[in-house]
Amino acid sequence: MDETIDLGALRDSIRDVLNAECPRELIVKHAQHNDGMDRELWSKAVELGWTMLTIPEDHGGLGLGIEALAVLHEELGRAAAPLPFLSSLLAAKAISDSADAAICEAWLPRLAAGAVASLSLPMPLGSTKLSVNCVGDSLVLTGAVLNLLDGADAEILVLLAKDEHGELVRVVLDVTADGIQPARTTLWDRGRSLANLGLDGLHIPAERAWPATGAQETALANHAAIALAADSVGGQAAVLDMTIDYLKTRQQFGRPIGSFQALKHRVADHRTRFEGDIWLLRSAVSAVAGDMDHRATEASAAKALATANYVGLGRDAIQLHGGIGFTAEYPIHVFVKRALLNEQLLGNQAAHLTRAVSRIVEGAA
């Protein structure tokens, strides 16, 4: 547990801001007219220091840990906020974990100050179609990078490549300075986007690269899994609140439909799964914060179950809302689309369940 900040106060402050600056009317409007991030809302988040939370103090951040990050992502999920925190904070972690003082000094202050970043997705671990070769004092990048989360909105890219010896390398690119532009792919979750980038002999300075160890990539995968689990827990909380409020107010046969036993049972089942997701998330956060041996198991289990339960709740919530649940003007569809994307991002349910049980299987072998 972070001793430098009251996590309850952090949660309340983030929630208060998002309630005021990111109401459900805004996310519905955004989904109808935009792709990717809300830049005005991002500027507000930067002003409040949210981009600084987990960046080391030596580089302009607050140096907080995974506990604070989980709180942030949970509240962002509760609001379905169209903000690129997952991609930017993953990129910041990759740079911070490089243990290269010059790289950290060059890039982390920019991220703390609000530069948007994207990262080659770390699942499956070690997969890349990008090659990097040394030519004199430069590195030459050739190949394709697919499915960069928020890549079309990013100013900084942290990519995974393989060198001539087959070793994994992380490289950092400046989108404007390097003259590149990832091509946007629109998603059903209009608050996020993916991007593809093709590189054909791009030269960059050699000091922009560092070896990507297996431990670093695993830590990124854990970080990503917890962020998505937290986003899904927050989203479930919002969907449950909306659904219960609707069941209390919608009248049929002279009484609220929430008084009907069949509907009560459906909501109770979702609530039970939601409470389990909360406790599994908290356990995963503690395991990662404590650097415990089972941290990958806990993180992937939390991601797999929270995202799956979010999808199940979202789909049923549309039905429980009756005809209004199917309309584009009502916000429930924004959360359902976020749930569906969370389930697939950074490794689907099957990939994370396999990762979660691998340690158990290896121990039994």
Side-chain angles (χ1 to χ4, degrees), residues 53-171:
L53 283 181
T54 59
I55 291 177
E57 293 179 84
D58 291 347
H59 301 292
L62 298 176
L64 302 179
I66 192 73
E67 299 96 334
L69 177 135
V71 167
L72 173 64
H73 282 292
E74 195 172 329
E75 293 307 314
L76 292 170
R78 183 186 291 270
L83 295 174
F85 272 102
L86 176 58
S87 54
S88 292
L89 293 180
L90 274 173
K93 178 170 177 56
I95 292 172
S96 182
D97 287 351
S98 71
D100 186 306
I103 287 174
C104 290
E105 182 60 36
W107 301 96
L108 288 179
R110 286 184 61 183
L111 293 173
V116 178
S118 185
L119 178 99
S120 297
L121 306 185
M123 287 290 283
L125 294 177
S127 61
T128 179
K129 298 179 182 296
L130 187 64
S131 64
V132 56
N133 296 288
C134 290
V135 178
D137 294 331
S138 298
L139 298 176
V140 180
L141 297 171
T142 303
V145 185
L146 305 178
N147 298 327
L148 281 165
L149 181 61
D150 298 312
D153 294 319
E155 303 162 52
I156 296 168
L157 302 178
V158 181
L159 307 180
L160 187 66
K162 284 187 178 179
D163 66 15
E164 55 264 41
H165 306 295
E167 299 295 325
L168 291 174
V169 176
R170 281 278 178 194
V171 297

Side-chain angles (χ1 to χ4, degrees), residues 175-212:
V175 170
T176 301
D178 293 326
I180 56 177
Q181 183 55 60
R184 184 187 301 273
T185 299
T186 299
L187 300 172
W188 57 76
D189 177 358
R190 302 295 286 274
R192 290 173 173 160
S193 66
L194 296 178
N196 299 325
L197 176 66
L199 297 174
D200 185 14
L202 176 69
H203 287 252
I204 63 170
E207 58 267 22
R208 289 213 219 147
W210 65 93

